[in-house]
Amino acid sequence: MNETSNLNEYLYKVLVIGVTTGKTSIIQQYVHGIFSRKYKATIGVDFALKVLNVDEETTVRIQLWDIAGQERYGNMTRVYYKEAVGALLVFDVTRMATFEAVIKWKEDVDQKVRTKDDKPIPVVLVANKIDLVNEKEGWGKTEEEMNQFCKEHGFIGWFATSAKENKNIGKATRHLVDHILKNDIKHAQNGGDGFNLDDEEDVEKPSGGCC
């Protein structure tokens, strides 16, 4: 917190995880405003930084950690997850096998990283590549089914996104950031140490009512 300017500045580490689901395209679209079909599979981990002006007094810098899918069951995920305060878990609506893998991903995150209050970090479920789905036929899951899935598995929300069309990526991330901020402020009010830049160096409803 910058007391002289009355500006609250936060730095948060956010995981972006999934296996061949377009997560790198999501990050590139969100951070740089570009889309390409030529991204190679992430090896290990990659990073990107996004600055959000939440309101006139609050700025959030998000470190987006693009975690390689093949690392899911490896010992390195614990290292990559360390100090993360939230996650975007991405699956591909055109490949339902990636949706079936979501539960194992969520369990992996819940086991390996916790909030300062020893609770699971907030995770938003991202249904990507919605632009490739026939609107009439859908992609196999109804909104009600997705809402129930979120409730059962502890997601704070879900969004149908398109990296190509830049659809709902900003909304999904802002929804996650809002929950992270609430956790941070609540922890500080309860006597814990808030996590802001000095310590370390319009909120949207989700596309499903699971919150």
Side-chain angles (χ1 to χ4, degrees):
M1 183 181 297
N2 189 330
E3 296 181 355
T4 58
S5 63
N6 294 320
L7 178 65
N8 299 318
E9 297 183 330
Y10 299 87
L11 175 64
Y12 293 135
K13 175 180 176 179
V14 170
L15 308 174
V16 186
I17 49 183
V19 183
T20 59
T21 57
K23 57 188 171 59
T24 300
S25 295
I26 285 177
I27 293 172
Q28 291 299 313
Q29 178 66 265
Y30 182 57
V31 175
H32 303 294
I34 60 176
F35 174 79
S36 172
R37 298 185 183 276
K38 298 181 180 179
Y39 295 122
K40 296 180 180 179
T42 304
I43 299 175
V45 64
D46 202 357
F47 310 90
L49 180 68
K50 178 73 173 182
V51 179
L52 289 180
N53 295 313
V54 177
D55 54 42
E56 293 181 354
E57 298 181 350
T58 307
T59 297
V60 175
R61 288 175 171 81
I62 309 171
Q63 290 181 341
L64 295 164
W65 284 51
D66 184 356
I67 307 297
Q70 65 267 29
E71 298 290 350
R72 178 176 58 184
Y73 298 115
N75 293 328
M76 290 303 294
T77 53
R78 189 179 299 276
V79 176
Y80 295 152
Y81 292 173
K82 186 177 180 181
E83 297 182 353
V85 293
L88 300 171
L89 205 171
V90 184
F91 71 95
D92 179 348
V93 298
T94 69
R95 297 172 57 241
M96 291 311 294
T98 64
F99 177 73
E100 294 168 3
V102 159
I103 296 175
K104 291 182 179 179
W105 270 109
K106 182 64 163 57
E107 291 174 349
D108 191 52
V109 172
D110 289 349
Q111 290 171 4
K112 293 179 179 177
V113 62
R114 311 285 288 185
T115 68
K116 294 176 182 178
D117 298 319
D118 196 31
K119 297 178 181 179
I121 63 172
V123 181
V124 168
L125 184 59
V126 178
N128 194 34
K129 302 187 182 181
I130 199 69
D131 57 287
L132 298 180
V133 173
N134 183 298
E135 193 169 322
K136 290 184 179 180
E137 296 178 359
W139 52 276
K141 296 291 180 181
T142 66
E143 182 173 331
E144 290 75 18
E145 288 174 329
M146 290 300 295
N147 293 344
Q148 184 61 35
F149 183 85
C150 284
K151 290 179 181 179
E152 290 177 356
H153 298 287
F155 291 95
I156 64 167
W158 74 276
F159 290 81
T161 68
S162 167
K164 180 180 179 180
E165 298 177 354
N166 194 20
K167 180 178 181 181
N168 287 336
I169 297 172
K171 290 182 178 180
T173 309
R174 281 296 300 269
H175 185 68
L176 178 62
V177 168
D178 178 61
H179 276 260
I180 294 170
L181 279 168
K182 287 181 179 178
N183 287 345
D184 207 3
I185 292 170
K186 181 178 180 181
H187 181 78
Q189 289 175 340
N190 290 336
D193 295 325
F195 181 75
N196 56 38
L197 288 182
D198 289 332
D199 291 334
E200 295 289 331
E201 187 242 86
D202 0 308
V203 176
E204 300 280 352
K205 295 276 188 178
S207 297
C210 59
C211 300

